[in-house]
Amino acid sequence: MKTRSIWLWVLLLVTAISGCKYDDADLWNKVNSLDDRVTSLEGTVESLNQQTTSLQTLINGVQNRLYISSVTSNENGYTIEFSDGTVAAITNGTNGADGADAPVISIKKDTDGKYYWIQTIDGTEEWLVDDAGNKLPVSGEDAITPQLKVNANGFWLVSYDNGATFTEILDEAGNPVKAVGEDGEDGIDGSDGTPGASGDSFFSSVTVENGYLVLVLAATGEEISIPFDNNAAIGIPDSQAGTTPTIQGEPNLTIPQPAFYVDENNEDILNMSLTGIQIPETGEWMELFGTGDNRQNIWVEVDGKPKAIKIINSETVQSRTRGAMSRIAPLSRAKADVVFLVDNSGSMSEEANTVAQEIIDWSTTLSQTMDVQFGCVGIDHNYVNGAIDITTVEALHDYLNNRSGHTYGIYRTTGYVDANLETKAAAYNNAGGECGGIMLHFADENFTFRSGANRIYVHFTDEPNQPNNHVEWSVESVNTASPDYNWGATRGTIHTVFSDLYNYRPDTYNWTPLRYEDPRLFATYTGGTTIDTDASFSGVSLEDLPVTGAITNSYIIQLNITTDMLTGKHTVTIVILSTDGNYRAEITFQDVEFVASAS
């Protein structure tokens, strides 16, 4: 009886199934609908990824202080070209496909002034972070470029390694974020097919205002302002720098070593201070002309890239200084720290008083037209025996006139104002005799030079340079072509005043490397000047010497700063070529560091 009942139930079940066909169309419609909606998002996602890259290019431009050379509109948006040649494309944006409230990725400036990636989900904004919890930067060496995509189930995925791997984007509760909804509910907030507010554009508006391109971020409402070329800090964009000419023939000018510092009136301007350049045949001091002038005769490249340059010649500075400075915009003056290297051995007794008085008179005149401070080092045969660190003109005069009653002759440059310098000088005591090199390196290694000041040394001696086989104090220590070079690109220019041609004629004396070297080579190797006189020093005034012309005819060459210039070491090339081609020079300085402050 039981067996017959079981078969009856089986028969009834089979009959029921065979008499009613199951309809799975709704299930397949849902699956197909999800596939269709994921497929329809592909164009939006591709656009978002392109926009992410362009957004990063824009922020790199902002962070690197670049200028916009051009903005070209097209049917999809705008193409922006920066002064360094990089290009970013931004779209006008369309409504989010299937209600995708895109983008879920955007950027935001943090309190450190840098931009980082954020995600905004259901109106909640969060920083994107790495496994260690560090925010992901948009620009710089550690920059990350997120890439988006939607998986087969309709959830947002993001990659932080250029698409090698993808992970789900999670909301505050740790749940995957939907790009498309179920059962016709589209959009990450579950609204039924409501178009995304931002679409595939990161920006809610793009306008031009007062020489700036102003972009408003859709996610945060933050404005990003980027200046056009005509707002370049020096008034000339780097895009107008042109091509640096190639000089033909042997160089016949000397380019001195420069100093670099950020302008005190505008932190977007880098000043390159350069002492005067003299024309050999005439003795005249060149006037320099920069970018945009049809008389341009100087060009500058940083790391192989031509830079726009603006020139402030000394005559401009001096004429402005004599005028009513309070009624006009501030103008940078050439900035120099001048160090006198004085041989105060017995053989200099004849000229010692004259040298000291000339230093006093000359420094007084010089300080009236330049931003200048002074230092002094003395040597008696084989050891440093006096010094005063970088100081005011008044303190220098006090050192030479009133210190410890030493007011006469060779004693005026002996002794120390600072006991710390006296202690350090003890290590500079074993030259072979009068040695300009030991004084030079003592000052370089121990004086407190001002940031960005052009370092200028004036070396007074009547003897050969005698380093006693110390290569670090040899004239070769400032010769870039020597294996013993240890001076550096911006550590200073040396000018030599040599007062004994009777015993040391350059064409007949037997100069000996590392023992008895020609002291004028310090000037030759660093772009300085020399003057030869006799022991009486009669008729010689520092104001008439080439070093005075070099300093008082200094130039300030201004460049637009980009952020990368303020970190690391750089290669700077300077080319000078007169319009008639008669005067020319080229020099490259390696391992140059641009100081970030003019203090």
Side-chain angles (χ1 to χ4, degrees):
M1 184 66 181
K2 290 181 179 179
T3 303
R4 290 184 64 184
S5 297
I6 292 172
W7 280 109
L8 178 60
W9 281 108
V10 172
L11 180 61
L12 290 172
L13 181 60
V14 170
T15 303
I17 294 174
S18 62
C20 176
K21 184 179 180 181
Y22 175 69
D23 186 359
D24 61 357
D26 289 344
L27 175 61
W28 286 112
N29 285 339
K30 290 181 179 180
V31 173
N32 290 332
S33 176
L34 178 61
D35 288 344
D36 289 342
R37 280 173 282 163
V38 170
T39 300
S40 69
L41 273 175
E42 289 179 355
T44 298
V45 172
E46 181 181 358
S47 176
L48 284 173
N49 287 330
Q50 292 173 351
Q51 288 291 290
T52 300
T53 301
S54 290
L55 181 58
Q56 192 168 48
T57 301
L58 285 171
I59 297 305
N60 281 333
V62 172
Q63 298 289 340
N64 289 331
R65 303 182 183 183
L66 300 180
Y67 299 89
I68 295 176
S69 298
S70 66
V71 176
T72 306
S73 61
N74 52 58
E75 60 181 358
N76 295 320
Y78 305 92
T79 299
I80 301 170
E81 182 175 357
F82 284 100
S83 52
D84 67 346
T86 55
V87 175
I90 60 175
T91 67
N92 290 320
T94 59
N95 286 337
D98 288 323
D101 189 10
V104 293
I105 301 294
S106 189
I107 63 170
K108 185 177 181 179
K109 185 187 289 186
D110 201 4
T111 54
D112 61 1
K114 298 178 181 179
Y115 284 91
Y116 298 88
W117 296 105
I118 62 171
Q119 66 180 30
T120 305
I121 301 168
D122 292 339
T124 301
E125 178 186 291
E126 292 181 324
W127 299 107
L128 288 178
V129 297
D130 59 20
D131 293 339
N134 300 310
K135 295 188 291 291
L136 303 179
V138 179
S139 62
E141 293 182 359
D142 301 323
I144 299 295
T145 309
Q147 291 186 23
L148 294 170
K149 76 176 183 178
V150 179
N151 66 14
N153 295 321
F155 291 96
W156 284 110
L157 302 178
V158 64
S159 172
Y160 304 126
D161 54 11
N162 296 316
T165 59
F166 282 85
T167 58
E168 290 181 326
I169 294 178
L170 304 178
D171 62 18
E172 271 190 319
N175 300 314
V177 177
K178 292 180 180 179
V180 294
E182 297 176 358
D183 299 327
E185 294 180 349
D186 301 328
I188 58 176
D189 59 357
S191 59
D192 190 7
T194 303
S198 303
D200 55 0
S201 176
F202 281 94
F203 305 104
S204 60
S205 71
V206 180
T207 58
V208 175
E209 301 176 13
N210 301 319
Y212 285 78
L213 182 69
V214 181
L215 307 147
V216 179
L217 288 168
T220 64
E222 183 178 351
E223 287 189 357
I224 299 175
S225 297
I226 312 173
F228 282 87
D229 272 348
N230 55 6
N231 278 338
I234 66 169
I236 310 167
D238 289 348
S239 58
Q240 295 181 13
T243 303
T244 304
T246 301
I247 64 172
Q248 303 294 330
E250 289 295 319
N252 57 5
L253 292 175
T254 299
I255 300 178
Q257 296 196 16
F260 299 91
Y261 59 97
V262 176
D263 192 271
E264 58 267 29
N265 301 315
N266 189 333
E267 63 179 8
D268 292 325
I269 293 176
L270 182 73
N271 287 332
M272 179 173 77
S273 182
L274 200 67
T275 56
I277 297 170
Q278 192 172 34
I279 299 174
E281 291 85 351
T282 65
E284 296 179 355
W285 299 93
M286 290 190 73
E287 185 175 5
L288 299 181
F289 304 97
T291 305
D293 194 308
N294 57 12
R295 299 166 294 178
Q296 182 172 3
N297 56 6
I298 181 170
W299 291 260
V300 176
E301 291 185 357
V302 177
D303 298 328
K305 298 178 181 179
K307 296 288 293 183
I309 54 174
K310 178 181 178 181
I311 311 297
I312 302 175
N313 287 284
S314 58
E315 290 183 3
T316 303
V317 175
Q318 292 174 23
S319 63
R320 290 282 290 274
T321 302
R322 290 191 293 268
M325 290 297 292
S326 61
R327 298 196 299 270
I328 57 180
L331 185 65
S332 297
R333 294 198 300 165
K335 183 178 182 180
D337 288 343
V338 179
V339 177
F340 301 101
L341 309 175
V342 183
D343 172 3
N344 58 28
S345 61
S347 63
M348 286 286 289
S349 58
E350 288 183 72
E351 54 261 61
N353 275 326
T354 304
V355 167
Q357 191 58 50
E358 280 299 320
I359 289 175
I360 291 171
D361 295 341
W362 184 66
S363 59
T364 300
T365 301
L366 196 63
S367 61
Q368 293 173 355
T369 59
M370 293 184 65
D371 178 4
V372 62
Q373 292 194 355
F374 302 91
C376 185
V377 183
I379 187 172
D380 181 6
H381 293 95
N382 62 344
Y383 63 97
V384 171
N385 69 343
I388 182 172
D389 201 352
I390 302 299
T391 188
T392 64
V393 64
E394 294 82 8
L396 173 72
H397 295 176
D398 184 66
Y399 175 76
L400 294 173
N401 282 333
N402 303 314
R403 187 194 43 76
S404 302
H406 292 166
T407 59
Y408 185 81
I410 58 177
Y411 298 104
R412 297 175 73 165
T413 55
T414 62
Y416 301 86
V417 173
D418 184 346
N420 185 46
L421 277 183
E422 183 173 11
T423 299
K424 292 179 178 179
Y428 300 79
N429 63 358
N430 55 350
E434 291 87 334
C435 181
I438 199 172
M439 291 190 287
L440 175 68
H441 288 280
F442 171 75
D444 174 69
E445 293 158 15
N446 296 289
F447 278 13
T448 53
F449 293 95
R450 295 176 296 165
S451 296
N454 214 324
R455 301 184 188 183
I456 298 169
Y457 295 88
V458 185
H459 178 207
F460 298 92
T461 187
D462 64 346
E463 292 270 351
N465 186 61
Q466 301 167 54
N468 193 26
N469 289 318
H470 288 275
V471 295
E472 68 272 21
W473 301 332
S474 165
V475 294
E476 295 303 307
S477 68
V478 299
N479 179 8
T480 57
S482 170
D484 299 321
Y485 177 74
N486 66 2
W487 189 233
T490 61
R491 287 164 67 181
T493 301
I494 305 150
H495 302 264
T496 303
V497 182
F498 189 60
S499 55
D500 191 353
L501 279 182
Y502 178 79
N503 291 305
Y504 305 104
R505 295 188 59 85
D507 53 345
T508 59
Y509 184 74
N510 185 27
W511 306 103
T512 306
L514 298 180
R515 301 288 293 178
Y516 299 97
E517 302 173 330
D518 187 345
R520 288 162 293 196
L521 290 176
F522 283 119
T524 301
Y525 292 147
T526 62
T529 62
T530 63
I531 188 70
D532 296 322
T533 182
D534 57 31
S536 69
F537 222 71
S538 60
V540 175
S541 168
L542 279 177
E543 292 190 18
D544 299 328
L545 299 182
V547 61
T548 305
I551 296 174
T552 57
N553 287 280
S554 294
Y555 320 97
I556 297 174
I557 301 168
Q558 297 189 319
L559 297 78
N560 296 310
I561 287 177
T562 54
T563 302
D564 61 297
M565 292 167 60
L566 296 179
T567 58
K569 296 182 179 181
H570 304 274
T571 300
V572 178
T573 297
I574 303 173
V575 172
I576 293 179
L577 181 64
S578 62
T579 52
D580 58 12
N582 289 334
Y583 305 110
R584 54 199 174 272
E586 178 177 354
I587 192 167
T588 296
F589 298 103
Q590 304 285 350
D591 298 327
V592 177
E593 295 182 87
F594 303 124
V595 296
S597 171
S599 61

